[in-house]
Amino acid sequence: MEVPAELAGGKDAAASLPSMSQPIPVEITVVKAQDLKTLKSNVLVTLVRVEYNGEVLGDSPKTGVLPSGTAEYNFSTSFECSPDGPNSLEVIVQKPLLLTVLEVGPREKKKTEKITPLGQAVVDLLPLLQGVRSLKVFAPLYAVPASSSEKLHPKATGGLEVTVSTKELLLSATQFSSGNLLSITMEAAYSVPGVFTVEGQQNYMACLQIPAAGEELLLLFQNGILKADGEKEPLPRPKNWPLGTILAPGALAIPNSFIVGGPYEDEDGDLTRSKDREFRRQAESTKRIVWDTERRCYLDAAAVAVAPCICFVPSLQKRIAECRYWPVELCKMSMASGGKGKTSKADKGDEDKQIAFHGVAYVNMMHLLCPGVKQIRGAFRVFSYQDGEVFEKTRIQHSIFRDLRSQLSLAKEGLGTSPVSRAAPTKAQKEDKDSSGTLLNPSKIQLSDGTGGSENVTNLLEGQYSEAGTFLVMEIKLDRPLVPKRPREELVRRVKEMIHPKPELPPWTGGAKKAVEAYEKCVTSVAAAILREYHELFGKQLPDQGVIDHGTLEEQRRQLNYELNTSGKYFAFKEQLKHSVVKIVREKYLKTEAFENQGQLQEFLSELYVFLVGHMHIALNKLLSGEDVSSTPTPCATNKQLLLFAREAEANRDLKLASLFYSQRIAQDQCSIQSWLDYGAFCLLHKDATKAQECFKKALCLDPQHTQSLLLCGIVAVKLQHYEEAEIFFEDACCLEPSSIIAWTLSGLFYELQNNYIRAERNFREAKKLLQAQLEEERRILEAAEAEGKKPSTAPEEIPDGSADKLPEVVEGVTSKEKATALQEAPEAPCLAPGPQPPPCTIFMKTVEFLMKVNAVRFVHKALAHELLSLQGGPTCAYYLALAWTYSLQEDLPRCEECVCEAIRIDPTNPNVWAQKGHLCYLKKDFDKAKNCYEQVISFVEDAVDMHFVYLRLGSIYLEEKEYGRAKQIYLLACDNSASCLTWLGVGIACYRMKEMVEAEDALSEANALNNTNAEVWGYLTLICLHGGRQLEAEQCYKYTIKLGLKNSELLQEIDATQSRFGFGNPSL
């Protein structure tokens, strides 16, 4: 159980531990034993033996056992802890205090007292390195098997009350906080080669190297137990001390330390895929080598630090960064049968041949460099040890078992033998022996000179591990993560710095608004002055005097004009207004230079005249009514309607109009987060990433706790190649809402773009864990609902109303041509399902659904690539629909059509598939096929997601084909579903063509109320007024038609022809 003196006591070994000015005594007091009768009912006299690190520290006086089973020992002893002695901090970390209760039998004649071990207990001294100077524990006593087993109670409840203390801390607070504790648990090797047999004495060993500040420590796991086929290892099960063989096997268990296992998908090893599950389940119940041993190692600040320390061996973080794979060697070594002593040269050849089945597993340690990660656990495949392959993956040139086998052979004898039945070992003997978990220092060991014979032994039965599929299950755990996770407060501060809005500039007092206000004040002043002149000339008109006739008013107007012109007041009023009009021209219209031609001047004067007259009326209304009349009416369209109008304009490729509607939504409510996000998504799609970033940051300013805004800020930051900012946004989103599947998946996709595959895989794993929990919760709720008596979902063949039988009529109700097309494109579907089948629920498709709404095309492609790799039965209908959407945005119509055809083949009754195909045919100007697809969508019981655009485009096709009755019905369905200016316009056009003028005018009035800037609406209103003989209204509608710039040349020609036929409607004629 001892570390060789030349390894543990050297200067290099001490370099990795905190320095001590002098040895620190560790005081141990065994107070008493309790319930000894549970171990053996007739025990009378006992003593307790205290030993540590293979050395007996002392025996207590013989003490009688009370009837209650209590024995008062009050025995104290101690040992010294020092880096230069045998009991260094490294030993305290990984070795417990061993206490043995011995039964003292009665003395017989001419014979010594018979001393028999009764039970053993262990005390973990690790708290002494964690800032504790004194600990009091109740250590359970485990029975020692004896020949008189019938008197041994199987469930012992006895224990020892022990106190351990030091006069000063073994580690200061600074040393403890800057260092770290590394624990490695070697659980088992499964699916071992079939040639491994339980018979015979074999030592199954595993070993790996751990870098420290001044040395490399070799952690050796010996005495693996080969178990035959049988039941699986139980979970949870205790971890064992690396003590080898002791008298009480139960005392090997480390208190409060268990192997708990877990889902294979949550592991960090090689066999985590779904196809590996069955193999692992079978391997866990077949032949296996079990250690279940935990080794611990203290790493000081120099061994943990990122920067390389001033020593030969680099730090843990630097070593992981330089080479992510660390080798864990595995071998079988025959137990020696010779006696103790040095091995002769003649025996060295035989010693070399004792090592066989030399294998190696590669552990990816890069997980430990992920923020907040402090544990790696998984199953790692074992391969035959090949020097070239090991060096290529790990950059390590020597093998532990091959180059250090002469030292490992020293550990074969007397491992873990308790000193109860032997005398205490001398220092010289301790230096020649090691425990089952040994710390070796390769810098102190001279490597073998010859390797020829060992190569033949190492490669013995090469390939056995790979053929058997052997894998090693182990765990590497740190007390604190090497890379701390950024706290939430820091993330909030960083995000706030990135989205902090710029201070608003003070308002400029000489702007356009003030110029208009000054003009209205001048108009009011001039009007009041003119009214006074009128009163002076004609007096005030009282209400009871009646209404003045038209002729009298005209005469008074002529007299007033004459007086104003002859007195010079008209010129004065004009000059008074002139200054305010000039300011409007400069501030409102930004006109400061001369016009290039007379046409531009006349056009501008007309526009200016309309504006001035309008505000003159506003000013006069304020003057006469005494109320503040708003210059702009309350908008009729709601926020939801404006969003619909914007998407309609976007579908019609009118991006300028779509941007206007998005801006109007924001103008209506600048505190609406969704309005900013929708506008940002529009800008992101149309290559204006900078504007999109402004919108997303504005939304985040409104609510810094809004997860969706954080994710969109991260997406647009990736688009702008601001990767550091993107990482902050994604990390903050995951920290803010740790239950968000989309946040973890998007963060994983981002790290994958950065080639950080370890963090990407961990984030994907977290998302899958959340999705699994969500599905289980939904399943539990469904089962609870069914248990309460609710009817479960009925299978198609059990539907009572016969709707399953009616489904073929849905396809037949369109056209026989379309039915034939559907059957031709879906040859593998023998019959139609009762409805669209839900796609398999994965984290990537959930994320794709979100990304499609915000137009993040690049991330959609990444997520779909993962979806394609993760599916077992091939791509799904949802996959092809999403892929087709990306190709349609890129205007790659041939590839879009391929995806749509595959989606139809997989699920021919999905309305979304037919809607997508209809849009594709519509964009290709193949209106016959588009009409058939849209009719197919409408025939389904379940609506497609984008029914609004299905109605609009199908209605437009009917209008082109002059099927006005069907067009009217489709547009009315669209109005009922989601009314807009375009839907009512379609109704109006259809009614007008069918000579239903009243209904047409009502529909066009509804369209005009929703959007009074649509030139086509005004054009058809012009036609209706012309047919109704309303000259004034026809002229007004025609003016707005021309002013708004009607682009439909056919409609313009029809208006001109109608005006010519009726002889009115065009003021210019």
Side-chain angles (χ1 to χ4, degrees):
M1 292 172 60
E2 296 298 323
V3 176
E6 69 272 10
L7 303 181
K11 294 181 180 179
D12 291 339
S16 64
L17 302 172
S19 60
M20 300 179 187
S21 57
Q22 56 185 2
I24 299 176
V26 179
E27 300 289 340
I28 302 161
T29 301
V30 182
V31 181
K32 61 182 177 180
Q34 295 182 5
D35 298 325
L36 291 179
K37 299 288 187 179
T38 60
L39 298 177
K40 189 175 182 181
S41 57
N42 58 353
V43 61
L44 298 176
V45 180
T46 62
L47 61 86
V48 62
R49 175 169 295 170
V50 182
E51 51 187 300
Y52 187 70
N53 197 13
E55 181 178 1
V56 175
L57 303 181
D59 294 346
S60 71
K62 301 171 187 177
T63 304
V65 180
L66 300 177
S68 62
T70 302
E72 299 284 346
Y73 296 118
N74 291 318
F75 170 70
S76 297
T77 184
S78 66
F79 67 88
E80 290 186 343
C81 175
S82 66
D84 298 328
N87 301 322
S88 63
L89 291 182
E90 192 60 62
V91 175
I92 290 179
V93 166
Q94 54 101 14
K95 289 190 178 181
L97 185 70
L98 183 62
L99 307 170
T100 306
V101 175
L102 304 173
E103 179 186 9
V104 181
R107 183 191 298 270
E108 297 180 4
K109 293 182 178 181
K110 298 181 181 179
K111 292 184 179 180
T112 59
E113 295 174 329
K114 183 179 179 181
I115 296 179
T116 306
L118 189 63
Q120 283 187 314
V122 292
V123 177
D124 190 0
L125 301 183
L126 181 62
L128 296 180
L129 272 68
Q130 297 175 331
V132 176
R133 286 198 301 177
S134 177
L135 64 146
K136 183 177 181 181
V137 296
F138 183 78
L141 270 172
Y142 295 91
V144 175
S147 58
S148 55
S149 57
E150 69 280 356
K151 296 182 180 180
L152 185 65
H153 294 269
K155 295 182 180 179
T157 58
L160 290 173
E161 185 177 322
V162 184
T163 60
V164 182
S165 62
T166 59
K167 293 183 179 179
E168 56 183 284
L169 293 174
L170 298 183
L171 286 178
S172 66
T174 303
Q175 292 171 330
F176 174 70
S177 60
S178 60
N180 212 329
L181 180 68
L182 175 66
S183 303
I184 298 179
T185 303
M186 193 67 61
E187 298 183 18
Y190 296 98
S191 189
V192 297
V195 295
F196 284 14
T197 57
V198 181
E199 296 80 11
Q201 292 186 346
Q202 305 290 337
N203 188 0
Y204 297 97
M205 299 187 298
C207 188
L208 74 159
Q209 304 180 39
I210 300 296
E215 59 179 1
E216 284 201 14
L217 302 177
L218 306 185
L219 299 186
L220 179 64
F221 296 85
Q222 297 194 89
N223 301 328
I225 301 173
L226 180 63
K227 294 187 177 182
D229 299 353
E231 296 182 358
K232 295 182 180 181
E233 297 297 317
L235 289 174
R237 61 183 186 271
K239 298 179 181 179
N240 296 328
W241 291 104
L243 296 180
T245 304
I246 62 174
L247 297 177
L252 283 175
I254 302 176
N256 303 318
S257 185
F258 299 92
I259 297 172
V260 296
Y264 301 144
E265 294 80 5
D266 294 345
E267 295 179 352
D268 306 297
D270 302 327
L271 304 174
T272 59
R273 295 172 298 180
S274 56
K275 65 179 183 180
D276 299 322
R277 295 176 187 170
E278 186 60 30
F279 167 68
R280 289 191 60 177
R281 291 194 186 103
Q282 294 178 2
E284 288 172 358
S285 58
T286 57
K287 191 185 301 182
R288 59 202 180 273
I289 303 171
V290 179
W291 287 275
D292 287 347
T293 301
E294 180 183 82
R295 287 297 322 277
R296 299 188 297 213
C297 177
Y298 175 76
L299 304 174
D300 66 355
V304 177
V306 179
C309 52
I310 305 175
C311 59
F312 179 73
V313 180
S315 66
L316 181 63
Q317 290 192 52
K318 188 173 185 294
R319 172 63 66 84
I320 295 174
E322 290 175 349
C323 188
R324 64 175 61 192
Y325 290 105
W326 285 19
V328 179
E329 296 186 41
L330 179 70
C331 81
K332 181 182 76 169
M333 186 170 66
S334 301
M335 300 294 287
S337 57
K340 297 182 182 180
K342 294 184 178 181
T343 306
S344 63
K345 292 182 180 181
D347 296 331
K348 279 192 175 182
D350 295 334
E351 179 185 298
D352 289 342
K353 294 179 182 179
Q354 291 173 346
I355 297 178
F357 290 94
H358 192 183
V360 61
Y362 302 102
V363 180
N364 191 344
M365 301 287 287
M366 192 61 70
H367 293 275
L368 294 180
L369 295 188
C370 296
V373 176
K374 55 183 181 180
Q375 178 180 344
I376 296 175
R377 183 184 182 275
F380 303 93
R381 291 189 179 277
V382 178
F383 305 92
S384 295
Y385 193 98
Q386 302 290 337
D387 288 337
E389 181 182 348
V390 173
F391 178 74
E392 181 181 355
K393 279 198 169 187
T394 67
R395 294 292 181 260
I396 292 179
Q397 298 180 351
H398 60 269
S399 163
I400 300 172
F401 287 132
R402 187 190 64 215
D403 299 331
L404 307 181
R405 60 190 179 279
S406 60
Q407 294 294 330
L408 295 178
S409 64
L410 298 177
K412 292 182 296 183
E413 306 169 31
L415 296 178
T417 304
S418 175
V420 172
S421 57
R422 60 175 173 84
T426 63
K427 182 176 181 181
Q429 289 174 328
K430 287 194 297 177
E431 292 176 354
D432 290 336
K433 296 181 182 178
D434 192 12
S435 66
S436 63
T438 310
L439 285 177
L440 302 177
N441 189 340
S443 61
K444 292 292 181 178
I445 300 174
Q446 185 174 356
L447 303 181
S448 304
D449 295 332
T451 58
S454 63
E455 286 292 339
N456 297 329
V457 176
T458 302
N459 296 329
L460 182 64
L461 297 176
E462 181 180 345
Q464 289 284 331
Y465 286 124
S466 299
E467 293 176 5
T470 306
F471 60 92
L472 191 66
V473 179
M474 61 181 297
E475 177 190 73
I476 300 175
K477 186 177 180 181
L478 290 165
D479 190 45
R480 287 185 294 274
L482 293 176
V483 182
K485 196 173 183 178
R486 271 188 282 228
R488 168 74 177 146
E489 294 75 14
E490 180 184 348
L491 292 172
V492 171
R493 178 182 59 80
R494 294 286 300 275
V495 169
K496 189 175 180 180
E497 291 175 356
M498 289 187 288
I499 67 171
H500 186 68
K502 298 178 181 178
E504 297 183 1
L505 297 175
W508 185 37
T509 57
K513 184 178 180 181
K514 187 172 182 182
V516 174
E517 292 174 352
Y519 168 74
E520 291 179 355
K521 288 181 180 180
C522 286
V523 169
T524 304
S525 176
V526 171
I530 294 174
L531 188 59
R532 285 194 299 270
E533 290 292 329
Y534 176 85
H535 289 161
E536 289 177 2
L537 287 175
F538 309 108
K540 291 187 177 182
Q541 182 71 21
L542 299 177
D544 56 356
Q545 293 179 355
V547 180
I548 303 176
D549 61 277
H550 182 69
T552 304
L553 284 176
E554 283 294 319
E555 182 63 27
Q556 288 179 354
R557 186 178 65 82
R558 285 195 296 268
Q559 290 183 25
L560 179 61
N561 286 337
Y562 177 78
E563 289 295 329
L564 292 176
N565 280 289
T566 56
S567 65
K569 291 181 180 179
Y570 178 82
F571 180 78
F573 291 153
K574 186 174 69 172
E575 289 297 320
Q576 186 177 350
L577 289 170
K578 180 179 179 180
H579 179 69
S580 60
V581 173
V582 170
K583 290 197 69 175
I584 286 177
V585 172
R586 290 178 176 176
E587 301 293 340
K588 177 71 176 177
Y589 292 94
L590 305 177
K591 300 292 185 181
T592 57
E593 298 179 357
F595 293 93
E596 295 180 358
N597 53 58
Q598 192 68 18
Q600 290 183 357
L601 175 60
Q602 290 301 325
E603 183 180 356
F604 171 71
L605 290 177
S606 299
E607 184 179 358
L608 178 63
Y609 175 77
V610 173
F611 179 81
L612 293 176
V613 170
H615 281 274
M616 178 190 72
H617 287 304
I618 293 172
L620 292 178
N621 288 334
K622 288 181 181 178
L623 175 65
L624 297 177
S625 64
E627 298 178 358
D628 185 12
V629 181
S630 175
S631 59
T632 56
T634 305
C636 298
T638 63
N639 191 289
K640 184 178 180 180
Q641 287 174 327
L642 286 174
L643 177 60
L644 180 61
F645 301 163
R647 290 179 175 170
E648 286 178 340
E650 197 173 355
N652 294 331
R653 300 292 196 272
D654 193 346
L655 302 184
K656 185 177 180 181
L657 182 60
S659 179
L660 176 62
F661 284 129
Y662 281 120
S663 301
Q664 286 180 4
R665 290 184 73 212
I666 294 174
Q668 280 191 9
D669 185 7
Q670 294 193 1
C671 294
S672 172
I673 294 177
Q674 193 59 45
S675 297
W676 286 103
L677 295 183
D678 290 337
Y679 191 24
F682 167 77
C683 296
L684 184 63
L685 177 61
H686 298 289
K687 314 302 182 184
D688 192 354
T690 304
K691 184 67 176 178
Q693 185 183 45
E694 294 177 7
C695 295
F696 296 150
K697 287 189 175 181
K698 181 63 178 179
L700 196 55
C701 285
L702 294 173
D703 184 9
Q705 308 294 318
H706 196 250
T707 307
Q708 186 177 350
S709 300
L710 283 168
L711 294 176
L712 291 176
C713 284
I715 289 172
V716 76
V718 172
K719 179 79 173 178
L720 295 171
Q721 298 183 359
H722 300 165
Y723 298 118
E724 186 177 353
E725 290 185 10
E727 183 176 9
I728 295 295
F729 285 126
F730 287 129
E731 192 172 343
D732 190 26
C734 295
C735 187
L736 173 65
E737 192 175 349
S739 61
S740 172
I741 298 172
I742 295 174
W744 286 106
T745 308
L746 267 179
S747 181
L749 293 174
F750 164 73
Y751 284 121
E752 190 174 64
L753 286 172
Q754 299 297 298
N755 297 326
N756 191 341
Y757 299 107
I758 297 297
R759 294 194 67 175
E761 185 58 35
R762 297 191 72 88
N763 287 6
F764 292 152
R765 187 191 308 160
E766 184 66 27
K768 291 175 182 177
K769 189 186 303 182
L770 292 171
L771 178 61
Q772 183 66 27
Q774 178 180 315
L775 295 177
E776 290 177 358
E777 179 65 17
E778 292 175 359
R779 191 181 304 112
R780 185 190 63 80
I781 293 174
L782 180 61
E783 292 174 355
E786 292 177 352
E788 291 176 1
K790 296 182 180 180
K791 292 184 67 177
S793 57
T794 312
E797 61 272 16
E798 298 173 357
I799 297 178
D801 60 359
S803 57
D805 298 330
K806 298 178 182 178
L807 283 174
E809 298 178 6
V810 172
V811 181
E812 294 174 4
V814 185
T815 59
S816 59
K817 177 182 177 182
E818 188 58 34
K819 178 185 176 182
T821 304
L823 295 176
Q824 182 179 2
E825 292 178 343
E828 298 180 8
C831 61
L832 295 179
Q837 300 299 317
C841 191
T842 65
I843 61 171
F844 300 109
M845 289 310 298
K846 278 183 170 291
T847 307
V848 164
E849 184 180 355
F850 166 77
L851 293 171
M852 289 173 63
K853 293 178 181 178
V854 298
N855 302 321
V857 181
R858 183 182 182 186
F859 278 90
V860 169
H861 277 294
K862 294 290 293 182
L864 289 178
H866 276 280
E867 177 70 9
L868 184 61
L869 293 175
S870 63
L871 293 175
Q872 298 295 325
T876 62
C877 179
Y879 168 84
Y880 281 117
L881 277 178
L883 193 58
W885 174 82
T886 62
Y887 289 140
S888 65
L889 291 181
Q890 298 168 358
E891 299 183 357
D892 189 350
L893 300 185
R895 298 179 72 178
C896 178
E897 185 174 10
E898 292 176 5
C899 295
V900 172
C901 290
E902 285 296 322
I904 292 176
R905 182 186 62 80
I906 294 172
D907 190 359
T909 59
N910 189 334
N912 294 313
V913 176
W914 290 103
Q916 185 71 27
K917 184 177 181 182
H919 297 330
L920 175 65
C921 296
Y922 190 89
L923 294 176
K924 294 169 64 177
K925 308 297 184 184
D926 191 349
F927 297 119
D928 288 337
K929 287 188 178 180
K931 182 179 71 171
N932 293 335
C933 293
Y934 290 145
E935 289 173 344
Q936 178 87 333
V937 174
I938 295 175
S939 67
F940 286 118
V941 176
E942 184 178 350
D943 286 340
V945 175
D946 56 347
M947 285 300 296
H948 182 78
F949 296 100
V950 171
Y951 289 138
L952 283 180
R953 290 178 171 176
L954 180 58
S956 68
I957 294 174
Y958 284 147
L959 288 179
E960 287 291 328
E961 296 180 351
K962 299 183 180 181
E963 298 183 32
Y964 302 123
R966 303 183 72 176
K968 177 182 177 181
Q969 294 301 321
I970 290 297
Y971 278 121
L972 285 174
L973 287 175
C975 292
D976 184 61
N977 182 60
S978 50
S980 70
C981 174
L982 296 183
T983 59
W984 283 114
L985 173 61
V987 175
I989 295 174
C991 292
Y992 171 77
R993 297 303 179 191
M994 292 188 297
K995 308 301 180 182
E996 300 173 356
M997 297 300 177
V998 177
E999 293 186 15
E1001 186 172 1
D1002 290 341
L1004 293 172
S1005 298
E1006 290 288 341
N1008 208 8
L1010 291 173
N1011 180 17
N1012 59 6
T1013 62
N1014 190 302
E1016 198 165 347
V1017 173
W1018 287 107
Y1020 279 99
L1021 283 173
T1022 302
L1023 291 173
I1024 291 175
C1025 293
L1026 287 172
H1027 283 281
R1030 299 180 311 209
Q1031 180 177 352
L1032 180 60
E1033 295 177 45
E1035 290 181 356
Q1036 290 176 340
C1037 291
Y1038 180 69
K1039 287 179 182 178
Y1040 279 109
T1041 302
I1042 300 303
K1043 182 180 179 180
L1044 294 172
L1046 180 62
K1047 298 179 181 179
N1048 189 337
S1049 58
E1050 295 180 359
L1051 181 58
L1052 275 174
Q1053 293 175 4
E1054 184 178 359
I1055 293 173
D1056 292 340
T1058 307
Q1059 289 171 341
S1060 301
R1061 187 169 73 250
F1062 287 103
F1064 63 88
N1066 190 345
S1068 62
L1069 297 179

